[in-house]
Amino acid sequence: VQGLIEFKDIVFKYPSKDEITVLKKFNCVFEAGKTTALVGPSGGGKSTIMSMILRFYDPKKGDINLDGHNLKDLTLNSLRGSMPVVNQEVMLFDDTILENIRYGKEDATEKQIMEAAKMAEADEFIQDLSQQYNTQIGQNGVVLSGGQRQRIAIARAILYNAPILLLDEATSALDPISENLIKNALNKLMKGKTTVVIAHRLSTIMHADKICVVMNGKIVEEGNHEELLKLNGEYSNLYNKQFELLEEEKND
């Protein structure tokens, strides 16, 4: 898998009474080895795009291609096997840290797991735990903080080492110190991979190769951070509002 993902004239509606069209002739190219960020207000279609890459839904009209192959022509195993997802909500099991990370690659050695944990900025807090990598973390990682759970999920994705990476609000529920550590971990994870990021916090995607502002099922602006700020449009409005809110929080 090289990782070139193309959405061509995608029309999509969720089956419901209202039958509201979520994506309206949506076009986007996610370039191989590059990071593309999707930003914009809730309900604009960002999560639907991510779900369609994973083929939880198929379009009503249009084609989604991976390296020139229509997703419908690929097996679900081969498709989903090429793209780990790091979500805001991390799914952990009532087992050891070692086994929770190994879930990303069941034949991984302890050495590979520890290397992944170091890259994910997780090794330091693991070494401070009573049983270190053999610490039982309880149902859904109840003994860990939000930032620690997120770093375990990133270690899992590093270990999996697939060519495409999907990040859905991976830093949105974190305090600034955890967010900083996780940004460092994600930067290592994203290197050389086709990465699709959904983010509300624009500070986390400022260095993306391409940022797409998605509103009402369409891309209304596209470019890198500097280019979009110069447009003085929707992205600039979002950025300025967040900057103002941060300043207010600091003053409080």
Side-chain angles (χ1 to χ4, degrees):
V1 175
Q2 299 301 307
L4 173 66
I5 303 167
E6 298 171 281
F7 278 61
K8 295 181 176 178
D9 292 328
I10 297 299
V11 176
F12 179 75
K13 300 175 182 180
Y14 286 106
S16 69
K17 290 176 188 174
D18 302 331
E19 284 272 318
I20 297 164
T21 305
V22 182
L23 298 178
K24 304 160 185 174
K25 289 223 163 189
F26 181 85
N27 289 282
C28 188
V29 176
F30 301 90
E31 291 184 46
K34 300 282 181 74
T35 297
T36 303
L38 304 174
V39 303
S42 296
K46 303 185 299 297
S47 294
T48 302
I49 294 161
M50 192 82 89
S51 294
M52 294 186 88
I53 293 172
L54 288 158
R55 259 202 90 195
F56 292 134
Y57 303 102
D58 286 330
K60 302 292 179 193
K61 291 179 184 172
D63 295 305
I64 304 171
N65 294 335
L66 172 58
D67 296 341
H69 302 281
N70 194 303
L71 294 194
K72 292 177 184 175
D73 297 331
L74 307 175
T75 66
L76 287 178
N77 278 348
S78 67
L79 175 69
R80 293 175 187 167
S82 65
M83 48 182 78
V85 184
V86 181
N87 288 313
Q88 180 181 340
E89 293 297 323
V90 179
M91 178 62 74
L92 297 178
F93 303 99
D94 188 1
D95 206 333
T96 63
I97 284 181
L98 194 77
E99 292 307 321
N100 267 284
I101 298 174
R102 201 197 302 272
Y103 185 70
K105 188 181 180 187
E106 290 179 15
D107 60 350
T109 64
E110 285 194 22
K111 186 182 177 188
Q112 288 172 323
I113 290 166
M114 289 175 185
E115 290 283 323
K118 282 174 185 167
M119 281 185 72
E121 308 277 348
D123 182 70
E124 193 175 334
F125 86 76
I126 294 169
Q127 296 296 348
D128 288 339
L129 297 171
S130 57
Q131 304 289 315
Q132 298 177 333
Y133 282 84
N134 292 312
T135 301
Q136 293 278 340
I137 60 171
Q139 188 62 43
N140 221 16
V142 69
V143 304
L144 303 177
S145 70
Q148 289 169 341
R149 287 196 294 270
Q150 212 48 298
R151 280 175 271 167
I152 295 295
I154 293 167
R156 196 185 267 171
I158 288 170
L159 188 66
Y160 195 71
N161 193 28
I164 300 168
L165 178 64
L166 307 180
L167 303 176
D168 189 357
E169 298 286 2
T171 63
S172 65
L174 303 175
D175 60 85
I177 294 168
S178 293
E179 186 184 344
N180 236 17
L181 284 168
I182 282 163
K183 270 201 264 187
N184 291 340
L186 287 174
N187 286 338
K188 294 173 200 168
L189 174 58
M190 290 156 64
K191 204 169 182 181
K193 291 179 172 32
T194 302
T195 307
V196 182
V197 188
I198 293 176
H200 279 307
R201 286 190 195 179
L202 300 185
S203 60
T204 61
I205 51 90
M206 283 165 54
H207 301 297
D209 298 293
K210 180 166 74 175
I211 300 167
C212 299
V213 183
V214 182
M215 298 178 77
N216 300 317
K218 288 185 175 180
I219 293 175
V220 294
E221 289 176 1
E222 191 177 303
N224 63 32
H225 175 71
E226 287 78 16
E227 289 166 351
L228 291 175
L229 281 183
K230 282 177 189 169
L231 287 178
N232 212 21
E234 297 294 344
Y235 181 81
S236 181
N237 285 340
L238 287 169
Y239 182 76
N240 290 333
K241 277 178 193 169
Q242 285 197 12
F243 188 74
E244 283 165 21
L245 284 170
L246 281 173
E247 287 300 307
E248 282 173 21
E249 282 173 19
K250 281 179 190 172
N251 292 335
D252 289 346

